[in-house]
Structures are given as C-alpha cells and as structure tokens.
C-alpha cells in the first residue's frame, strides 16, 4: 500500500522549514538512554492500581471500577495513546511487539540493565489480557468509548466518562482481536519461561484457547464491537491475524499443527500473496512473512519449504521497498523518513525499522543477502537504514527535533496527552471536569506540566514539517505501539555487534560472492547536469548565524542518469537527501535509483558559512 518509486521521488519538493534550531553537529546518539526512556513511557500509560515501584510519580491510580458494571474485573492494562480508553487490539499488538523485542534482544537489554523493566512492561499488559479473557470464547476488547472520552479532557485519575466494556464471543466473533491476543500471550510466554514458568504456562493456556476461538468463529471484531470502528477499524480483516497468531503459536510451542496451519493456509489467507509496504497494529502480513522466513532459514519448514519460500519472497519485497530498491517503494520525506500517512506516521517508521533490524540479523546468521529487483543487498544495509530511521526520530532531521519526549534538548513540549498536559493529581488534587479540562488545560499555550518521558509522538508531515501544538493530534499524540517495536531496535543498536546468532544452529552453505560489473564513468563536469543552490532560511543562535541551503540537481539530458556521484566539499554541517559512500562521495538517496530525463531532485544541508562546493564526480547514462 506504499507509493511508487516515482511518487517517492523528492524531485521538485518545496521544503518549508519553520522554527529551526541549530543541530548538534558532532557525536552519535545514546541508544541506551533512549531505550530506558522508551520503556519508562509505558509506566505513564498504566491504568489501574499503580505498584510501589512505579517510577512515573506524577501518575496516580485510575480506572479502578473498570468492568464492574459488566460483572468482570478489567482493572489494569494500558491507555493506548493520549486518551483514557483501553482499546484491546492495539494493546495486544503492543504486548506482542514488546515481547518480540525481548525475544530477539533480551541479552542486550540485560546488559544495559533494562530487561527487568521491559519484562515488567509486558507483564502489566498480559495481566490485563488474562483478565479480559474470562472464558475460552469470551474476550473483552474495549473499556470506555472514544466518542464520550474525546468529548472530555481529563486526567485518568478524574475520569467521569463511560467505562462500559465491550466483548466478542461465539455469537459476536472477532478473529482479528482474538488472534492478536493469542499472538501476544504466546510471544509473552516465551520470555517468562525461565523466570516464571507457571505464568508462562498460564499464558500459553490462554493462547491455545484464543487461537481456537479466532479460527473457529470467524469475523471482524469491529463488526461486533462497533464503537471501535471510528478509532481502530480493522481495515485488513482477520486473515493476517490468524496467520500471525499461528506463527507465534508455533514459535512458542514448536507444535507442528501451527506450522502446518501456516503451510496449508498461506495462499488462502494471503500470507503468500500480499506484498506489503507497511506493518502495524492493523496489517500484520509483513510481520508474519518475516517470522516464516526465519523458520525457513532456520531449517524448520519441513514439507512446507516451497510455500514458506513464497512467504519469504513477500518479506523481502517489504524490506526492499523500505530500502527503495523494489518495484514499489515506500514514500519518504526529503529528510529520509518513511512516510505513510499524516496521522501518527511514526507508528509505521518504528514497526518497519524493527522488521528491517531483525531481518538483517536473520540474514547475517544465515550468511545470506537480501534479493531486490535492483540487485543483491548486504544485510548491513538493512540495519543501516533502520538506524537512519531511529537517528531521525532522535534528532538527525532537518528540524533538529527529537520526536522522543525528554530525549535531547529540542523535543515536543505540548504533547496531545491528557495526563501529561494537566497538573498532576499529586500536586493539585482539585477535580478537573470534563469540559473544564479543555478550557483550562487543553487550550493552554505552554509546556506540559508533566514530562511524558520516552513517548514517541506522531511525527512530521511529508515535508519534514512539525507543529508542536497540543491540538495538533496528528503530529503530537503518542501511542504505545509507536514505542513497542523501538525497544528492540534501541537495544540492538546499544548492544553493538556482539557475536550472537538469531537462528537455530544449522549448516548453511556460504553464498558465493556476486561479481560486480564495472560501470563506465564520464569525465567530471562533462555531464549534462545542472546544480542550483539557494539559501532557504537562516537564524541566529548563540551569536552565530546558521543557513539552510537547498541544492536542486536537474538532468538536462535526454537519457536517464544512474550511478550519480557528487563531490561535496567545504561542508561543515549535516546533509540530508544523499547517501554518503565510504570513499566520501555522495550518491542518490536509498529511495531513488535514477534521475530520468528532465527531472530534478533536491538535497539540503545546514551550516554557518557560505554554500558548500558541489561538483559531479561520475555518472552513467541509461
């Protein structure tokens, strides 16, 4: 569902930049600190009775009567975003992705001292999911409703909105909701096997029942829980969740039934057919395909090797599309960020980056390369691209803004989040009324009184622009499923390149290196290429004037230009929109393969002096 390569092109983009602040021009990111903050965010999202070791002190107990009017205990769990509703589908996906992060990179989390915190975050979710599944074929999928909740702006501790609970059952099925809950329980069971085996077994019991419920009584959950349609509509249906759940059931149990399920239902349920360019709480196909590809590379496919190969082809299509090396590539901003939609785009960035990260390690373990329509790609390129997305989130972007609250020196101050935007109940216990919260706190043009540490907000638009306003929910609202995949990536980046194998030990032959054909080069400066530079904005900080320069590269020939290499000298700041090679030259960004006749592309850079010197080193004509 991504854009074509042509639509992804950054040609002729007018790049509007507002409120720039100077970048930190040196040094990398503290991925360990970012990991700690990302996990801390989940404590701010807790509902129910807060534990004694609660670290986010400005929060208090909330939702203590949840489920009471329905005759069931539904106290606990997570608020999904900046509101006070507990939505079951994104909550379960959050638990699945946190668990997957720990399964892959728990050792790295342990080395950084964050593993226990991450496991606590998972257990807070699974404790609630267990409560929400009181009978084999009954599952509660929502507490509260978005319509009444969004009418009010109140702290969770003050809620006066409806706390009605909504469920699915045999007569009102929801295979997507039940399937995702099965996946979450199965994935979580893996991480508790050693530390809490009784709890792991309990989770697996629920997972078995939920998978059976999802598969036998099929239907979309939002047809049964209609109040969810406006907020978490299941656009993709439930087929992807059935496969997703089966993959996690096999991973957790090694039960051949679930491996056979993946093999026999891959075609009918779309696992071998859907080539995706997104992955998230609604659309799970890319995640399923990545897991099945791991089974295949780990020698577990058995008689399903051919079918699993088709899953892997689709997994690799996703990876290639993110890298810009496919026949259908994801759209990116001029600054290089994956862009899918205006509202909470960052959810797609973190989830895609996680898949790229784990698949890079799967390929490395199998000693294989990624195969894209543009050619063979080394596993390191996948990890490098995932890192570029994380670095963008943490501040390496044209606005020099960190989209993780509390990380860096320039991050969102007016987050669209009820709890953080209203004075803590611990500081001022005075009741905040439904509409009074809007009048007093929502409309307040000032920084949040409570720091929502670690929250990943919705992020910039298609042109890297961002408006830090509380009413700009599309860009400033956080979500648990933004953070969950990021835990694994940050742990991986912080842990470095230690020797660990992501696959079961199997003998895999070393692939022969692919011969690289020499490319003809043109004489420098002889190419029919025009380069135009201009200053688009400037600002003063600490007595120094900074400039933002835009460079437009135009192909004036009648042929397509490929393998373009530019020399950029006298550059003293960051540059976006080109890829730097080990030799120091610059080429097309990863999402652009060529420059057709008569077209242009733009790249930008920032420094505090006159324009850099840009020249053409080499190119080829096609």
């Amino acid at each position: 569902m991504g854009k074509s390569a042509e639509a992804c092109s950054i040609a002729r983009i007018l790049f509007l930049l507002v409120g720039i602040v100077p970048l930190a021009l040196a040094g990398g990111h503290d991925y360990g600190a970012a990991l700690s903050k990302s996990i801390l965010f989940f404590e701010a999202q807790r509902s129910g009775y807060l534990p004694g070791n609660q670290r986010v002190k400005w929060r208090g107990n909330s939702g203590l009567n949840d489920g009471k009017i329905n005759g069931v205990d539904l106290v606990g769990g997570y608020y999904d975003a900046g509101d006070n509703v507990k939505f079951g589908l994104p909550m379960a996906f959050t638990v699945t992705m946190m668990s997957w992060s720990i399964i892959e990179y728990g050792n790295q989390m342990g080395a950084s001292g964050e593993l226990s915190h991450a496991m606590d975050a998972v257990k807070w979710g699974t404790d609630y999911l267990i409560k929400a599944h009181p009978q084999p074929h009954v599952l509660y999928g929502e507490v509260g409703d978005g319509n009444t909740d969004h009418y009010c702006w109140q702290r969770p501790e003050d809620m006066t909105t409806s706390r009605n609970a909504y469920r699915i059952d045999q007569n009102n099925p929801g295979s997507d909701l039940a399937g995702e809950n099965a996946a979450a329980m199965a994935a979580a069971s893996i991480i508790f096997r050693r530390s809490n085996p009784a709890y792991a077994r309990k989770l697996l019991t629920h997972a078995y029942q939920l998978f059976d419920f999802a598969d036998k009584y099929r239907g979309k959950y939002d047809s049964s829980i209609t109040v969810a349609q406006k907020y978490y509509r299941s656009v993709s249906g439930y087929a992807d969740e059935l496969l997703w759940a089966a993959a996690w059931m096999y991973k957790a149990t090694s039960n051949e039934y679930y491996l056979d399920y993946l093999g026999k239902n891959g075609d009918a349920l779309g696992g071998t057919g859907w080539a995706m360019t997104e992955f998230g709480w609604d659309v799970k196909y890319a995640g399923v395909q990545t897991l099945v590809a791991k089974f295949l590379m780990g020698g577990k496919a058995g008689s399903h090797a051919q079918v699993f190969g088709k899953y892997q082809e689709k997994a690799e299509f996703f990876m290639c599309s993110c890298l810009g090396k496919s026949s259908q590539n994801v759209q990116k901003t001029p600054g290089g960020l994956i862009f899918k939609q205006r509202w909470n785009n960052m959810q797609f960035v973190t989830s895609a980056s996680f898949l790229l990260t784990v698949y890079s390690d799967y390929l490395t373990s199998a000693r294989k390369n990624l195969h894209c329509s543009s050619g063979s790609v080394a596993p390191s390129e996948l990890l490098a691209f995932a890192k570029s997305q994380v670095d963008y989130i943490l501040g390496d972007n044209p606005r020099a803004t960190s989209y993780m609250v509390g990380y860096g020196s320039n991050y969102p101050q007016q987050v669209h989040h009820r709890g953080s935007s209203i004075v803590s109940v611990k500081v001022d216990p005075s009741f905040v009324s439904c509409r009074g919260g809007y009048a007093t706190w929502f409309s307040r043009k000032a920084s949040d009184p409570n720091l929502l540490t670690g929250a990943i907000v919705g992020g910039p638009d298609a042109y890297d622009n961002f408006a830090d306003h509380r009413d700009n929910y599309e860009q400033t609202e956080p979500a648990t499923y933004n953070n969950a995949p990021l835990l694994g990536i940050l742990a991986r980046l912080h842990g470095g390149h230690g020797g660990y194998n992501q696959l079961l030990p199997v003998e895999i032959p070393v692939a022969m290196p692919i011969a690289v054909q020499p490319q003809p080069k043109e004489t420098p400066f002889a190419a029919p290429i025009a380069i135009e530079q201009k200053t688009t904005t400037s600002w003063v900080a600490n007595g120094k004037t900074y400039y933002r320069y835009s460079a437009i590269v135009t192909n004036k020939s009648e042929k397509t230009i490929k393998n373009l290499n530019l020399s950029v000298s006298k550059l003293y700041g960051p540059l976006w929109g080109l890829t730097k090679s080990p030799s120091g030259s610059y080429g097309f960004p990863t999402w652009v393969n060529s420059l057709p006749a008569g077209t242009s592309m733009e790249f930008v850079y920032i420094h505090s002096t006159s324009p850099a010197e840009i020249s053409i080193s080499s190119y080829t004509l096609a």
Side-chain angles (χ1 to χ4, degrees):
M1 290 191 242
K3 303 292 184 180
S4 66
E6 181 179 353
C8 295
S9 174
I10 55 175
R12 297 181 296 277
I13 288 179
L14 295 176
F15 195 104
L16 176 63
L17 199 61
V18 181
I20 302 180
V21 295
L23 291 171
L25 301 181
H29 288 289
D30 187 342
Y31 299 119
L35 173 63
S36 300
K37 293 176 187 293
S38 292
I39 297 172
L40 196 61
F41 167 65
F42 290 98
E43 294 194 17
Q45 297 301 107
R46 284 173 169 172
S47 181
Y49 292 96
L50 301 184
N53 62 355
Q54 170 82 8
R55 295 177 294 166
V56 179
K57 300 299 184 183
W58 51 266
R59 278 297 320 282
N61 298 334
S62 63
L64 302 184
N65 292 314
D66 283 358
K68 188 174 182 179
I69 60 175
N70 301 86
V72 63
D73 176 10
L74 295 175
V75 176
Y78 288 113
Y79 303 116
D80 72 301
D83 52 27
N84 298 326
V85 184
K86 295 191 297 200
F87 291 101
L89 184 59
M91 192 193 305
F93 177 71
T94 293
V95 170
T96 307
M97 294 308 297
M98 284 197 290
S99 299
W100 196 359
S101 292
I102 295 170
I103 289 167
E104 301 289 353
Y105 304 114
N107 289 338
Q108 289 83 347
M109 290 183 190
S112 65
E114 291 297 332
L115 180 57
S116 62
H117 291 140
M119 291 180 69
D120 285 347
V122 171
K123 193 171 186 295
W124 192 269
T126 52
D127 283 350
Y128 172 80
L129 298 183
I130 289 171
K131 290 182 175 183
H133 183 226
Q135 300 171 42
H137 295 159
V138 173
L139 176 64
Y140 285 86
E142 184 171 330
V143 179
D145 79 88
N147 294 332
T148 59
D149 183 88
H150 286 202
Y151 181 75
C152 299
W153 194 263
Q154 293 175 289
R155 297 174 295 210
E157 297 83 358
D158 288 331
M159 282 186 293
T160 57
T161 51
S162 167
R163 300 305 289 174
N164 191 35
Y166 303 87
R167 71 182 223 178
I168 57 172
D169 53 36
Q170 292 175 210
N171 297 319
N172 303 281
S175 300
D176 30 22
L177 178 65
E180 183 59 69
N181 275 258
M185 301 280 204
S189 75
I190 298 172
I191 69 173
F192 289 110
R193 275 178 187 163
R194 292 186 180 179
S195 63
N196 195 341
Y199 189 68
R201 288 193 295 271
K202 185 176 185 179
L203 289 170
L204 266 184
T205 298
H206 284 275
Y208 278 120
Q209 293 176 354
L210 284 162
F211 182 86
D212 179 74
F213 178 28
D215 193 34
K216 282 186 178 178
Y217 301 95
R218 296 190 180 188
K220 283 178 57 177
Y221 95 103
D222 58 8
S223 296
S224 299
I225 304 178
T226 56
V227 293
Q229 289 181 2
K230 185 178 176 182
Y231 304 95
Y232 289 101
R233 178 184 292 274
S234 181
V235 177
S236 69
Y238 57 78
D240 51 337
E241 274 87 7
L242 289 175
L243 294 173
W244 176 244
W248 279 111
M249 291 299 294
Y250 176 70
K251 191 167 179 62
T253 67
S254 297
N255 187 324
E256 293 291 323
Y257 172 83
Y258 299 104
L259 194 74
D260 291 341
Y261 189 97
L262 290 165
K264 294 175 181 177
N265 293 282
D267 293 341
L269 296 178
T272 61
W274 280 104
M276 307 305 300
T277 57
E278 69 173 89
F279 170 59
W281 61 262
D282 180 29
V283 186
K284 314 288 166 51
Y285 282 114
V288 176
Q289 291 153 356
T290 300
L291 282 172
V292 174
K294 182 180 183 180
F295 299 156
L296 178 63
M297 289 188 284
K300 296 181 178 180
S303 62
H304 303 296
Q306 184 175 0
V307 175
F308 282 15
K310 292 163 67 177
Y311 277 96
Q312 185 173 21
E313 288 175 7
K314 296 303 186 292
E316 299 212 338
F317 177 92
F318 176 86
M319 309 301 164
C320 296
S321 71
C322 290
L323 295 176
K325 297 178 180 292
S326 176
S327 58
Q328 182 185 3
N329 296 318
V330 300
Q331 181 181 350
K332 296 185 179 73
T333 70
L337 184 74
I338 290 172
F339 187 82
K340 170 65 181 174
Q341 65 182 28
R342 290 186 311 170
W343 169 71
N344 191 17
N345 178 67
M346 211 60 86
Q347 62 180 304
F348 301 107
V349 178
T350 60
S351 57
S353 297
F354 179 85
L355 292 187
L356 287 158
T357 300
V358 296
Y359 202 69
S360 170
D361 287 332
Y362 297 165
L363 289 172
T364 300
S365 299
R367 289 175 279 180
K368 291 179 178 289
N369 280 354
L370 174 68
H371 299 290
C372 299
S373 59
S374 65
S376 182
V377 178
S380 58
E381 286 194 42
L382 281 77
L383 184 61
F385 180 73
K387 179 179 179 296
S388 76
Q389 299 299 291
V390 173
D391 289 346
Y392 184 110
I393 292 171
L394 297 180
D396 289 0
N397 55 66
R399 291 191 81 257
T401 295
S402 166
Y403 294 105
M404 176 185 286
V405 177
Y407 181 91
S409 58
N410 178 35
Y411 51 80
Q413 302 290 324
Q414 296 186 32
V415 184
H416 184 92
H417 187 274
R418 286 158 176 78
S420 66
S421 68
I422 302 174
V423 65
S424 170
V425 70
K426 305 283 187 68
V427 174
D428 183 357
S430 301
F431 175 71
V432 176
S433 67
C434 169
R435 301 304 292 175
Y438 271 111
T440 305
W441 296 102
F442 178 79
S443 59
R444 180 172 169 265
K445 303 301 181 185
S447 299
D448 295 334
N450 308 306
L451 188 65
L452 194 63
T453 302
I456 302 297
V457 298
D461 66 11
Y463 306 102
D464 299 295
N465 298 315
F466 178 79
D468 185 13
H469 303 304
R470 196 167 293 113
D471 60 357
N472 181 19
Y473 67 91
E474 292 181 334
Q475 295 188 322
T476 63
E477 186 171 17
T480 56
Y481 45 89
N482 294 7
N483 279 61
L486 196 61
L487 303 188
I489 316 170
L490 290 171
R492 172 66 173 86
L493 294 175
H494 180 61
H497 297 280
Y500 57 93
N501 194 308
Q502 302 299 102
L503 303 175
L504 287 177
V506 290
E507 289 298 322
I508 301 174
V510 179
M512 296 299 292
I514 298 174
V516 179
Q517 299 296 323
Q519 298 290 343
K521 293 186 177 181
E522 299 286 341
T523 304
F525 303 103
I529 299 172
I531 300 176
E532 179 185 2
Q533 294 198 71
K534 63 182 178 180
T535 305
T536 57
T537 189
S538 65
W539 66 99
V540 177
N542 299 323
K544 182 179 288 188
T545 302
Y546 290 82
Y547 302 91
R548 179 189 176 282
Y549 295 98
S550 167
I552 305 293
V553 180
T554 303
N555 179 3
K556 292 194 169 184
S557 76
E558 296 180 356
K559 296 184 178 180
T560 296
I561 290 175
K562 294 187 174 182
N563 305 305
L564 176 67
N565 280 293
L566 300 176
S567 172
V568 183
S569 59
K570 297 185 179 179
L571 173 66
Y572 307 105
L575 179 150
W576 295 272
L578 295 177
T579 300
K580 190 174 184 180
S581 70
S583 65
S585 65
Y586 291 83
F588 288 129
T590 56
W591 59 93
V592 176
N593 297 319
S594 62
L595 194 62
T599 62
S600 302
M601 74 174 196
E602 179 190 42
F603 63 94
V604 299
Y605 61 94
I606 294 172
H607 64 196
S608 60
T609 185
S610 54
E613 293 181 0
I614 303 171
S615 59
I616 301 158
S617 297
S618 63
Y619 71 100
T620 58
L621 292 176

